[in-house]
């Protein structure tokens, strides 16, 4: 069970769109449409942003969207806002109720 | 409202045992898996394992199997994470979270506030 691969950092200007990739294997991301994404601000607990590939919890802005192609899942944030600056983690189901996280991506809003 | 409240920060010496807890409220505690997630200083999230309080069915990440023990007492709505002998490398923030899903339990919808464990001589 190896960690999923995410870029260490991404950046964008307010109003722009950014995409964070999350690459796994045929044993996790590629086998299930069960990728979730979490936002974590410094010193805070993670917050669920996307689940089961592309579903948004109540209260999460529709600027956040999720998708998948093959072994790679993606989180897209449109209309970037200063408050979106945070760390983002992907997480995939890996069978038998086990999960695996990505290494995390630091989003900087320029 | 679903709430998970964790025990307070701990400062321990190498070799000491430790048990931290996560108390759930606002939902049927026995019917939902509770997971534990490690975050080492300045690092990412790591899935450690989960437990189903209803029957204590437990799953571990291979990285944590044998290193920690996850348990639960459904009568007091509490899940636990314990170490028999701490190492300096166990220094981290530990989160509990409710693991849910429509077909398989595949995401965390509610998180505790975290318990900071510091292991130093």
């Amino acid at each position: 069970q190896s960690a999923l691969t995410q870029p260490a950092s991404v950046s964008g200007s307010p109003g722009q769109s950014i995409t964070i990739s999350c690459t796994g294997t045929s044993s996790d991301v590629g086998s299930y449409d069960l990728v979730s994404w979490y936002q974590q601000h410094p010193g805070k607990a993670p917050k669920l942003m996307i689940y089961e590939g592309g579903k948004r919890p109540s209260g999460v802005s529709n600027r956040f969207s999720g998708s998948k192609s093959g072994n790679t899942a993606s989180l897209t944030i449109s209309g970037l806002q200063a408050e979106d600056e945070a760390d983002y983690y992907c997480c995939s189901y890996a069978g038998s109720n086990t999960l695996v996280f990505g290494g995390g991506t630091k989003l900087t809003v320029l | 409202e679903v709430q998970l409240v964790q025990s307070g920060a701990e400062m321990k010496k190498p070799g000491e045992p430790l048990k931290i807890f996560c108390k759930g409220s606002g939902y049927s505690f026995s019917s939902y898996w509770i997971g534990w997630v490690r975050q080492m200083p300045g690092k990412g999230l790591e899935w450690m394992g989960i437990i189903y309080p209803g029957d204590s069915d437990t799953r571990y990440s291979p990285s944590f199997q044998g290193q920690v023990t996850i348990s639960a007492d459904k009568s007091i709505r509490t899940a636990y994470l314990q170490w028999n002998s701490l190492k300096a490398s166990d220094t981290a923030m530990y989160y509990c979270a409710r693991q849910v899903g429509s077909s398989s339990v595949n995401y965390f919808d509610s998180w505790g506030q975290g318990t900071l464990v510091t292991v130093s001589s």
Side-chain angles (χ1 to χ4, degrees), chain B residues 5-26:
Chain B
V5 177
Q6 299 185 229
S7 46
E10 300 274 3
M11 190 162 289
K12 293 289 193 180
K13 290 182 166 44
E16 291 186 335
L18 177 64
K19 193 173 190 177
I20 63 175
F21 72 79
C22 168
K23 187 171 179 65
S25 62

Side-chain angles (χ1 to χ4, degrees), chain A residues 41-62:
Chain A
H41 287 110
K44 300 293 188 182
K47 175 187 174 184
L48 177 68
M49 304 303 284
I50 295 288
Y51 67 99
E52 294 180 345
K55 301 176 184 175
R56 272 186 312 275
S58 173
V60 171
S61 171
N62 60 7

Side-chain angles (χ1 to χ4, degrees), chain B residues 29-33 50-59 72 74:
Chain B
F29 184 79
S30 297
S31 302
Y32 289 84
W33 293 83
I50 52 170
I51 188 164
Y52 188 76
D55 62 6
S56 292
D57 186 5
T58 310
R59 315 288 167 87
K74 62 183 179 182

Side-chain angles (χ1 to χ4, degrees), chain A residues 4-7 19-26 28-33 35 37 53 66-75 90 92:
Chain A
L4 308 176
T5 300
Q6 298 181 233
T19 296
I20 300 172
S21 62
C22 169
T23 301
T25 69
S26 58
D28 37 64
V29 177
S31 285
Y32 310 96
D33 286 327
V35 173
W37 290 89
S67 62
K68 191 193 89 164
S69 177
N71 293 341
T72 299
S74 298
L75 173 72
C90 63
S92 176

